Every structure is written in C-alpha cells, then in structure tokens.
Amino acid sequence: MGLSARKRDFMNQKSLQNPGDDLFEKYASNCLKGIAIIMLLYHHCFRNSGLYSSYEIVFLLPERYVVYIATFCKVCVGVFAFISAYGLTKKMMTLPTDQPHTLSTSVWNVMSSRLVKLLAAFIFVFLLTDLFALFLGPERLVAKYGELSLQSVQYWLLDLFGLAELLGTPTFLTTYWYYSLAIVLVLLVPVLYLLRERIGSPAFLALIFVINFTVTFNNDNIYRYILCIAAGVVCARDNVITRIVRLRVHRNDRVNGICKFLLYAAALALLVYLRNGVLRDTLWPLWEAVIPVTLASFGCEFLFRIPGLHQVLSFLGVHSGNIFLVHNLFRTVWFGSFTYSFRYPELIIAVLLIVSLATSIVIEALKKVLRYPALVDSIVRRLHREPTAEQT
C-alpha cells in the first residue's frame, strides 16, 4: 500500500473497522516521532537555566513553567524507544513462529537488517560530523578521544558503532548515547516477543515489571527503558492503541469524542505532574512505559487527523533520526550563540528545528548522490540467510 493510501485509511477511521487493522501504523508512528523530536529540542534547550544563562532570553510564559515542561519532555526518549519496539514487534509478528526449525534464521534476518539500517544511518552522520569537526574544531576530537594513538582510534571505533554509552568509553557527542539503547532494543525485542508468546501479555508485563524494579542495572539509560520496550511489544502484539481509540464511553459520537478528549487531557496532565514529582526517579521506568501509550492513543484519535498538522508531523518524523543527531551541533557545539540569539524560547526551538531539518534534507540528498542506500541494501542482502536443507 502506498503512503498516500495509508494516509487515506488513517484519516478515515470508518475504513478501519476490521479488528485486525492497526491505527498506529507507519504513518501514525511518524507523526508521533514528529511530536517526540519537538519535545527533544525543547528539553535540550530549556531543561535547566544553566543551558541559557549566558544569553538574554525573553519568556512569554513564566520561566519556571518553561523549565517544568522542558523537564517533562525528557519522556521523548521513551516515545522513540516505544515506537522502535512497536515496529520491530510488528515485523516479528510476520515470522513463522509455529515453525521452530526456521525461526532462528528468520529472527537473524530481522535483527541483522534492523541493526545494519540503524547503524548505517548513524555512521553516515557520525562520519560527516567528524569531517566537519576537522575544519570547525579539531580540538574537540582530541579532547574527547585523546591524541592520535591506538587507544584513541579504539575509542573512536566504539563511538562509530554506537557502543560508547554501553561500554562507558568517550563519545564525541552525548546525544549518541541513545544508539547504545537502540542496539540493545533490537537485540532484546525478539527475545521479549517470543517470551510474550509463551506466557501471554499479563504474565509477561508482570515479569518485566518485577525484573525492572528488582534487578540492578549498571547502566541507568538501559534500566529506565526496559519496561517501555516491553510495553511496545505488548501494544503491538495485542493492538492496544487501536483498542483504546475504538473504546467508547458514550453512545453519541460527539459526546463520546468530548468525553474522551477530556479523559486524555486529564490523564496527560496527571502524568506530567507525576513524571516531574517526588516519584520521578523512583518510578522512572513506569512513566516511560505509560506516557508513550497515552500520547500514541491521543494522537491517533485526535491530533493526527487534523489537516495540515499530520502532514507536518509526519515529515518531521521521517527526518527525526537525523534531526536528533545534528541538532546539538547547532545548539551547543559550534553555533550555540546563533541558536540562542533569537531570545524567545518558541523562536529558538523553531529556528533550531528548521536548521536541523534543512541539514537532514541535505544529508538524505547526499546519501542518494553517493548511492549509500544501495550500499546498505547490499550489506543487508549479504547478511540474509536462507533456511538450510535440514531446516526445510
């Protein structure tokens, strides 16, 4: 089905009455990514006053409210992790799990394809950034990895493959930490999916909840999102978001819509309060699991049907990966004075978003010129395995 056809189906809920249909498909997930990337920029720019204290900022809202909202927007990481787990689970659902003799080969093909595409997107921007760093600020490379030596090359290679956060080695940009989580996610989701198939969703979520809050994790950035990843698996497998959207609280369509909108608004307001409250750190994994589900359901039922808005959000979602990787280069590394010179938080975010989006468009054009997608597809094909004679 083409993208335009998917959009028409998404916008017309009456065409999605089959219980097997999923309202949170690719287009809707891109819309949610669009929201998440805006939240990310907001969080990184204004989560504490030290980030902008050197600049003259004019707040339309009281500053404490801006910081409060920006602090909550950290949940964007959970949103990205949830979407990734959801999409990978949907892919796992297409595999012949009732044929254990070919299952390992099928899982390998899914995992290798996802890892190659994930790292390929990261590596391209990573190398491009380091190339610019040689001209704009080579001292940063030395400060991060050390003088050119066998040790610094090893650190650079680990960073290149997204492993610096996982292994605790130096990284050129702290933003890159997410790729360690993304790698763990790709490796973990197939295991979680097969476990869920064996014991069912209630027992599965209960088990992951207990593990998440009783087992000690050396890495907080992994610990915080295990339950979120599990929630993504269950929501995809049980079509939870579609069920929530189709849930009716009143027979009349208009009254039902008003009631559900108010329920979503109340739920999100409560979650913002709790996420920023005294139990923020204690129950961090729970908030990262619940909030993405609530945002996805609210978006599918209301936001992503607004003409104009859903097209903009989807476009931002398509470019969210590159925006995530480059925005801090403009915000802090090389052009911080330019970014914060626009004084108003809303304008600062808008300019940072536009500049990062334009950079992403150039990056994607450069990939096509260099035939990078063809190279990536070639690597995926080389890693693809066919079932052996014994398996078939």
Side-chain angles (χ1 to χ4, degrees):
M1 182 182 289
L3 178 59
S4 60
R6 286 202 301 269
K7 284 197 290 186
R8 285 195 300 270
D9 278 352
F10 177 70
M11 294 297 294
N12 181 13
Q13 189 173 347
K14 291 182 179 178
S15 68
L16 293 169
Q17 295 303 315
N18 188 325
D21 290 328
D22 185 1
L23 290 175
F24 193 60
E25 39 68 71
K26 181 67 173 177
Y27 188 79
S29 68
N30 279 335
C31 289
L32 187 58
K33 286 180 184 179
I35 292 176
I37 201 64
I38 295 172
M39 294 173 70
L40 175 80
L41 300 188
Y42 200 83
H43 173 72
H44 279 177
C45 287
F46 297 105
R47 67 186 182 274
N48 67 68
S49 59
L51 296 169
Y52 52 82
S53 59
S54 301
Y55 309 100
E56 184 180 349
I57 306 298
V58 179
F59 292 95
L60 299 180
L61 285 175
E63 181 180 358
R64 66 181 184 277
Y65 293 146
V66 172
V67 174
Y68 187 85
I69 295 170
T71 301
F72 169 78
C73 283
K74 172 71 173 180
V75 78
C76 65
V77 177
V79 174
F80 283 122
F82 175 84
I83 294 171
S84 297
Y86 195 102
L88 187 52
T89 300
K90 284 294 182 181
K91 187 65 178 178
M92 288 292 300
M93 289 168 61
T94 66
L95 301 184
T97 54
D98 58 340
Q99 301 175 26
H101 50 290
T102 63
L103 183 60
S104 61
T105 300
S106 299
V107 171
W108 163 261
N109 290 336
V110 169
M111 291 172 58
S112 61
S113 175
R114 286 299 176 103
L115 278 176
V116 168
K117 292 177 181 178
L118 171 75
L119 290 176
F122 172 66
I123 288 171
F124 189 89
V125 179
F126 182 97
L127 293 176
L128 202 60
T129 300
D130 280 9
L131 179 62
F132 275 91
L134 292 175
F135 299 96
L136 294 176
E139 66 279 356
R140 185 179 179 87
L141 292 168
V142 176
K144 295 298 180 179
Y145 305 120
E147 296 288 346
L148 184 60
S149 65
L150 184 59
Q151 174 179 286
S152 63
V153 170
Q154 291 177 77
Y155 286 153
W156 181 83
L157 286 172
L158 289 177
D159 206 13
L160 175 69
F161 287 98
L163 296 171
E165 164 67 16
L166 193 62
L167 301 178
T169 53
T171 181
F172 182 82
L173 201 60
T174 53
T175 311
Y176 296 164
W177 79 264
Y178 179 79
Y179 282 83
S180 286
L181 174 62
I183 291 169
V184 170
L185 187 151
V186 172
L187 299 175
L188 191 59
V189 165
V191 177
L192 294 180
Y193 173 76
L194 294 175
L195 176 61
R196 183 265 161 218
E197 291 298 282
R198 181 63 65 93
I199 65 176
S201 294
F204 169 73
L205 285 176
L207 175 63
I208 300 302
F209 183 90
V210 171
I211 291 174
N212 209 165
F213 283 100
T214 58
V215 175
T216 301
F217 288 76
N218 290 328
N219 190 308
D220 280 346
N221 284 327
I222 302 300
Y223 148 77
R224 289 171 172 172
Y225 301 100
I226 297 297
L227 189 59
C228 171
I229 294 170
V233 171
V234 170
C235 284
R237 180 62 181 82
D238 295 342
N239 212 7
V240 171
I241 293 172
T242 301
R243 290 169 183 255
I244 294 174
V245 171
R246 289 181 177 157
L247 179 67
R248 299 187 65 86
V249 296
H250 197 278
R251 231 179 290 177
N252 181 276
D253 287 343
R254 183 181 294 273
V255 175
N256 179 70
I258 293 173
C259 289
K260 290 197 71 176
F261 184 88
L262 294 174
L263 286 172
Y264 280 124
L268 288 171
L270 178 62
L271 288 170
V272 170
Y273 173 77
L274 293 173
R275 172 66 172 70
N276 281 2
V278 294
L279 295 179
R280 171 191 171 190
D281 293 326
T282 304
L283 296 179
W284 191 303
L286 180 63
W287 310 135
E288 304 306 294
V290 174
I291 294 172
V293 179
T294 309
L295 284 173
S297 302
F298 177 62
C300 285
E301 189 154 5
F302 294 102
L303 294 183
F304 306 157
R305 302 184 186 283
I306 300 175
L309 179 62
H310 70 83
Q311 289 95 337
V312 171
L313 289 177
S314 177
F315 187 69
L316 290 176
V318 169
H319 288 275
S320 60
N322 288 337
I323 294 173
F324 174 82
L325 287 171
V326 304
H327 78 280
N328 267 337
L329 301 176
F330 298 107
R331 186 184 68 84
T332 58
V333 178
W334 292 316
F335 307 107
S337 297
F338 167 79
T339 300
Y340 283 101
S341 69
F342 291 89
R343 300 179 67 193
Y344 297 91
E346 297 77 12
L347 193 54
I348 290 169
I349 298 300
V351 170
L352 182 57
L353 180 61
I354 291 169
V355 171
S356 300
L357 176 61
T359 304
S360 175
I361 293 171
V362 172
I363 288 172
E364 292 306 309
L366 184 59
K367 286 180 181 178
K368 291 180 180 178
V369 170
L370 298 175
R371 298 183 60 80
Y372 192 69
L375 172 62
V376 175
D377 289 341
S378 175
I379 295 173
V380 171
R381 286 195 300 272
R382 288 178 179 275
L383 291 174
H384 183 84
R385 293 178 180 175
E386 297 294 339
T388 63
E390 291 80 5
Q391 289 179 326
T392 55

